[in-house]
Amino acid sequence: MPGSYKTEAVVLRSIRYGEADRVLHLYTAARGRIGAIAKGSRRPRSRFGGRLEPFFRLDLVLHEGRGDLATVTAAHTVAAHSNLREDGPGLNAAARACDAMLRLLDSAEPNPAAYNLLSRYLTLLDGDEAGASEEDHARAVDGAAGLATALAFRLKLALAAGFAPELSSCARCGDADGLTAFSGSAGGVVCGACERDGFEISPATHRFLLDAMGSPLARAPIAGAAELRQAERAITTTLEHHAQVHLRAAA
Ligand SMILES: [Zn+2]
């Protein structure tokens, strides 16, 4: 159905194309993951300015023709996230988040939970939380680019994509007690009797996974390095087995 439509979108990747164009990988609110071309956007006086770069959140008008790529006909900035660009850890975390979106969400179907999650994470990394006090602000900037928040983002992204691990009872037998291991192939925590293809996790790791899933992204739980390593392995192996996706290391 050719025609134009408006949508908000986050630029996940921006690739130079031809003489003066860019090809964008976008995560849109209206259509999920799409590709688009911005013609002439690398010319010095392009009407798009510098806003077709990764991590920009934009209001777009897109034209769908017969090809695979939509054409960007208008772009206005919703959030440039300029603080994030000047911060090494924040930039790194944002790049990994966009990479995870590219790998995990490849369908042109709207997924508001995934779109809102990415927008929220970029806002946190930018340290521009509306209404936050100075103190909250400092804490958010400090913690947002850390591994705990990166893992909370991945866990929530897995949930939005339909691949959340089972965390409340054994993923093989349903037993609610003695959950001492995690199995990527079973897709969640497992009990001592079912742990044959899993790896041991500590109660603190299990608690971290539950709290990270249940808390707002801005209040990701704190955990030690060993717990965070186990949690990352749990998320990574679940996505490998169930989404056939291998994510880059979270930090
Ligand atoms: Zn079991």
Side-chain angles (χ1 to χ4, degrees), residues 16-221:
R16 290 175 194 186
Y17 183 79
E19 295 275 298
D21 304 342
R22 280 182 185 284
V23 168
L24 306 174
H25 292 268
L26 298 169
Y27 202 80
T28 69
R31 309 268 171 113
R33 163 86 172 280
I34 66 152
I37 186 160
K39 289 178 183 157
S41 57
R42 281 161 49 226
R43 295 220 168 87
R45 279 189 295 277
S46 160
R47 66 206 149 106
F48 298 120
R51 61 177 73 87
L52 302 182
E53 294 291 337
F55 323 133
F56 265 85
R57 184 173 168 187
L58 304 169
D59 256 331
L60 295 176
V61 181
L62 296 164
H63 182 80
E64 259 180 357
R66 295 183 191 285
D68 288 341
L69 296 174
T71 302
V72 181
T73 55
H76 297 283
T77 303
V78 175
H81 301 123
S82 41
N83 297 333
L84 175 165
R85 281 159 216 288
E86 289 162 17
D87 171 59
L91 200 59
N92 189 24
R96 285 166 198 265
C98 286
D99 187 67
M101 295 289 291
L102 282 165
R103 290 176 199 233
L104 198 53
L105 292 161
D106 57 0
S107 96
E109 299 270 331
N111 186 329
Y115 182 76
N116 292 335
L117 177 66
L118 178 63
S119 299
R120 182 116 183 90
Y121 191 33
L122 293 175
T123 302
L124 278 176
L125 290 170
D126 196 50
D128 195 23
E129 275 290 72
S133 70
E134 281 298 307
E135 203 179 319
D136 280 349
H137 189 88
R139 193 162 48 223
V141 173
D142 189 34
L147 181 56
T149 307
L151 294 178
F153 170 79
R154 285 191 176 191
L155 207 49
K156 290 171 182 291
L157 187 63
L159 176 66
F163 301 108
E166 171 62 55
L167 297 174
S168 56
S169 57
C170 176
R172 287 218 189 277
C173 73
D175 204 326
D177 297 318
L179 302 168
T180 53
F182 191 96
S183 163
S185 62
V189 291
V190 286
C191 71
C194 297
E195 71 171 49
R196 57 191 176 275
D197 60 351
F199 59 94
E200 260 185 60
I201 60 168
S202 67
T205 300
H206 189 193
R207 172 54 49 198
F208 172 82
L209 290 168
L210 284 165
D211 289 350
M213 191 75 100
S215 310
L217 193 60
R219 289 191 209 92

